[in-house]
């Protein structure tokens, strides 16, 4: 059993906990107050469980209790409006609008925005599933169920906190492995831009950024202990490794397309794949305790040096200096990966400079400040537009459902609209298709289960569906939609075994609801083009701060902390732009962001990040081989130039013209050279070039008439 549990991912564990929590709530409230109260409490528990995601224990109640309170309030209002179609439609409009406005607090409020809508559905279906009771008592049982579940969620988070941290690290490691392998493939080919590879690379960067932030939220929030300090060290090393991996993209194009160039690239790519395999093994060790084989950076370095030396290059080929520099970069990655493996074998508990107060800066914000709503009280806000769009769509869906010949379940049609209609067209189209397929699959399963007259077995299937729907709602929505269909259609069968499940109505309501959601995605649309000025401004500001912190000579401990913070913010800004690049591809052509331009902007942004990281790594790791006088003079000038360009305090023509790139001429000497200052100066020059190109690329993306 223990081995089976260790194979479960965080979402699976969370779904299992939710299923057990809903069952516990039903049993506890039902035993104390009767079966009617127990069934009502299930609705409150399910609504509250939407906010029960893998989180540190201290964050659970502040997230789950608001959903429980909202469920109780909505249930009361539905009961008071019962019998009046006009009041019900007005309530749907208000609840739909207010619930979607909670997205002003960001993605973490996504489940909270959906909880009141689920409460609407449960409350409207109450008389058909659990018998009637007064609106006040019904709301009380729902609220009690939500409160009981919140306590369960807190207890579950305490019991699973260590495992959640391990699995968050595993996810970050596997995302790094995927990024490293895709980077190796690019190095091995290096045949110029390819649209499919560029898009895959952007997607990998987004996944890696999300995985690392999820790991920060879990690991950095842990109470200090030997185990948590080891996890913190591992995560910090993984974050540093991402910078080195990003820097590995620099200069590889200069190896060329001839036979020696292909051989050099193949050796470097194989070295990255070897490191990826070790990180994958480390992830398996953390996940299920598989033994980890010892590794040696010295052996890896020797093997790489031998392969590179075996390449037969023309005499006097100055690419040898570039190969030497690339070998050193990969060598640093080898050192770091070996150190990460070595940390897992250590049993001591060395002191760490990373206190909980310092780590708290890197954790996602918590709480529900009302000030966050202020910026979205305008029709220019995508949150406001989505809230209005959803309120109109939900109201029309219920009214249409009430007018249809099968008006027994108008809330099903409303629910289909709620789960399909997303804030952007890409997610709406994906949800539409997955919802339809999942509903068909769920209906087929229900037809099979309808032949079963065992209430306990049907109840077990219902509980399993609750957990599966929760586990897969953000991973594979088709599975979640299948489970949701089971939840909806099994309730009547549990009350009346052998009755005819409303499969036809469910299918019809799903198809109509999905069509309505798709049509309403064009009402008050929020195209990615409209958000581009904000995203571009955030990216330029984040990169300017990062350049300010990174282009420094021998940074102090406080400056190194500032570097990590600005790096996290810059990666987040790049990930936001990359997300827009992914979503815009399904938008109408006349509003779609041009692929080539947005991919160019992302490429220059990531190259600038890579160069800034490479400069700082050289300053920290190779300072003894740099001319301190030249470095201390060149770094402030490069910092000022980059910041001026990114903050628009200077235009490209106001700064001195850069000489041609080194790739067009000879490479600075590296092999056998003690002084590496020319490489530092070259990178500083390239930082200016990339800052110029990034700003120019973002300007080309600006919609006509929009301010820069």
């Amino acid at each position: 059993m223990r081995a089976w549990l260790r194979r479960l991912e965080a979402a699976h564990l969370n779904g299992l906990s939710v299923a057990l929590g809903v069952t516990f709530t039903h049993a506890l409230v039902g035993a104390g107050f009767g079966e009617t109260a127990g069934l009502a409490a299930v609705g409150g528990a399910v609504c509250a469980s939407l906010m029960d995601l893998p989180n540190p224990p201290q964050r659970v109640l502040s997230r789950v209790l608001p959903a429980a309170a909202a469920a109780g309030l909505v249930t009361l209002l539905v009961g008071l409006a019962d019998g009046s179609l006009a009041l019900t439609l007005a309530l749907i409009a208000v609840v739909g609008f207010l619930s979607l406005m909670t997205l002003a607090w960001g993605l973490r409020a996504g489940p909270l925005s959906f909880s009141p809508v689920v409460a609407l559905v449960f409350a409207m279906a109450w008389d058909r599933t659990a018998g009637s009771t007064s609106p006040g008592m019904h709301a009380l049982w729902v609220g009690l169920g939500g409160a009981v579940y919140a306590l369960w969620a807190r207890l579950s988070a305490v019991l699973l906190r260590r495992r959640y941290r391990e699995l968050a690290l595993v996810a970050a490691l596997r995302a790094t492995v995927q990024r490293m392998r895709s980077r190796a493939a690019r190095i091995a080919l290096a045949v110029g831009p390819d649209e499919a590879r560029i898009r895959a690379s952007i997607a990998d960067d987004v996944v890696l950024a999300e995985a690392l932030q999820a790991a920060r939220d879990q690991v950095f929030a842990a109470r200090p202990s030997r185990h948590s300090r080891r996890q913190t060290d591992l995560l910090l090393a993984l974050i540093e490794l991402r910078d080195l991996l990003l820097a590995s993209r620099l200069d590889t194009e200069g190896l060329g397309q001839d036979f020696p160039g292909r051989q050099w690239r193949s050796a470097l790519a194989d070295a990255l794949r070897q490191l990826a395999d070790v990180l994958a093994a480390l992830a398996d060790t953390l996940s299920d305790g598989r033994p980890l084989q010892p590794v040696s950076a010295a052996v890896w370095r020797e093997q790489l040096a031998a392969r590179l030396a075996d390449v037969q290059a023309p005499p006097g080929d100055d690419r040898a200096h570039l190969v030497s520099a690339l070998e050193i970069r990969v060598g640093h990655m080898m050192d770091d990966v070996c150190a990460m493996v070595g940390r897992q074998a250590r049993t001591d508990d060395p002191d760490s400079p990373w206190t909980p107060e310092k780590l708290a800066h890197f954790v996602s914000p918590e709480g529900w400040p009302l000030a966050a709503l202020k910026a979205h009280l305008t029709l220019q806000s995508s949150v406001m537009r989505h809230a209005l769009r959803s309120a109109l769509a939900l109201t029309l869906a219920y009214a249409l459902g009430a007018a249809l010949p099968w008006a027994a379940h108008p809330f099903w049609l409303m629910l289909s609209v709620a789960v399909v209609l997303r804030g952007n067209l890409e997610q709406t189209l994906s949800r539409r298709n997955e919802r339809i397929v999942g509903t068909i699959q769920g209906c087929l399963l229900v037809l099979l289960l309808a032949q079963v007259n065992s209430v306990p077995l049907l109840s077990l299937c219902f509980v399993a569906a609750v957990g599966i729907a929760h586990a897969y709602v953000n991973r594979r929505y088709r599975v979640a939609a299948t489970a949701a269909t089971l939840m909806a259609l099994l309730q009547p069968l549990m009350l009346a075994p052998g009755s005819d499940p409303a499969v036809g109505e469910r299918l019809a309501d799903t198809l109509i609801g999905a069509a309505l959601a798709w049509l309403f995605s064009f009402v008050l649309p929020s195209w990615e083009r409209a958000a581009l000025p904000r995203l571009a401004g955030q990216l330029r500001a984040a990169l300017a701060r990062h350049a300010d912190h990174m282009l420094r000579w021998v940074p102090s401990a406080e400056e190194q902390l500032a570097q990590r913070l600005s790096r996290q913010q810059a990666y987040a800004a790049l990930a936001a732009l990359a997300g827009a690049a992914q979503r815009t591809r399904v938008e109408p052509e006349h509003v779609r962001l041009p692929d080539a331009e947005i991919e160019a902007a992302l490429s220059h942004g990531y190259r600038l990040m890579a160069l800034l990281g490479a400069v700082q790594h050289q300053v920290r790791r190779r300072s003894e081989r740099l001319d301190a006088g030249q470095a201390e003079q060149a770094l402030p000038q490069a910092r000022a130039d980059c910041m001026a360009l990114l903050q628009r305090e200077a235009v490209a023509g106001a700064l001195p013209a850069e000489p041609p790139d080194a790739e067009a001429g000879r490479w600075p000497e590296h092999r056998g050279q003690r002084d590496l200052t020319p490489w530092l100066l070259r990178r500083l020059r390239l930082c200016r070039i990339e800052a110029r190109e990034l700003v120019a690329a973002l300007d080309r993306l600006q919609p006509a008439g929009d301010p820069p």
Side-chain angles (χ1 to χ4, degrees), residues 296-358:
S296 170
V299 172
W300 287 344
R301 283 176 177 270
E302 290 176 4
Q303 293 172 346
L304 177 59
R307 282 198 61 181
L308 294 174
D310 286 342
V311 176
Q312 300 298 317
D317 193 331
D318 72 326
R319 288 179 296 177
H321 297 295
L322 173 59
V323 172
S324 177
L326 294 173
E327 179 184 347
I328 294 297
R329 288 185 207 167
V330 176
H332 290 322
M333 297 176 67
M334 292 173 173
D335 293 338
D336 288 355
V337 170
C338 281
M340 293 165 66
V341 173
R343 287 187 183 94
Q344 288 304 112
R346 294 178 61 173
T347 58
D348 58 340
D349 185 18
D351 293 334
S352 173
W354 290 98
T355 63
E357 291 73 24
K358 288 183 178 179

Side-chain angles (χ1 to χ4, degrees), residues 138-177:
H138 185 193
L140 178 63
W141 301 137
V142 169
L144 178 61
V148 170
Y149 182 85
L151 296 177
W152 169 274
R154 180 67 164 78
L155 175 62
S156 175
V158 170
L159 295 176
L160 295 172
R161 63 184 184 275
R162 181 165 175 165
R163 187 58 179 163
Y164 279 158
R165 294 201 304 268
E166 290 175 345
L167 292 175
L169 276 173
V170 168
L173 278 165
R174 288 176 175 159
T176 304
V177 167

Side-chain angles (χ1 to χ4, degrees), residues 362-513:
F362 301 93
V363 177
S364 299
E366 188 64 6
W368 313 104
L370 294 178
L373 294 169
K374 184 177 180 181
H376 298 281
L377 299 179
T378 169
L379 269 180
Q380 303 306 312
S381 164
S382 60
V383 173
M384 171 68 83
R385 295 167 77 88
H386 181 48
L388 289 172
R389 180 191 316 131
S390 298
L392 290 171
L394 293 174
T395 305
L396 177 61
Y398 189 89
L400 179 60
L404 289 173
W406 55 87
H409 306 96
F411 43 84
W412 281 359
L413 197 151
M414 180 184 72
L415 180 61
S416 292
V417 171
V419 297
V420 171
L421 184 58
R422 303 287 90 190
N424 59 78
L425 183 60
E426 181 205 38
Q427 292 180 355
T428 298
L429 293 178
S430 175
R431 282 289 184 96
R432 179 196 65 186
N433 300 337
E434 297 293 291
R435 177 73 175 181
I436 293 173
V437 174
T439 299
I440 294 173
Q441 293 178 166
C443 288
L444 293 175
L445 289 175
V446 169
L447 288 175
L448 293 176
L449 292 172
Q451 311 306 315
V452 178
N453 292 326
S454 171
V455 174
L457 180 58
L458 294 175
S459 300
L460 180 62
C461 292
F462 177 84
V463 170
V466 171
I468 292 172
H470 187 87
Y472 284 95
V473 66
N474 292 319
R475 293 163 56 84
R476 295 178 61 190
Y477 184 70
R478 181 181 304 184
V479 177
T482 302
T485 302
L486 287 175
M487 291 167 59
L489 297 181
L490 284 180
Q491 291 183 28
L493 288 177
M494 291 162 58
L495 291 174
S499 60
D500 183 26
V503 168
E505 295 175 22
R506 180 73 177 187
L507 285 172
D509 288 335
T510 296
L511 291 172
I512 296 173

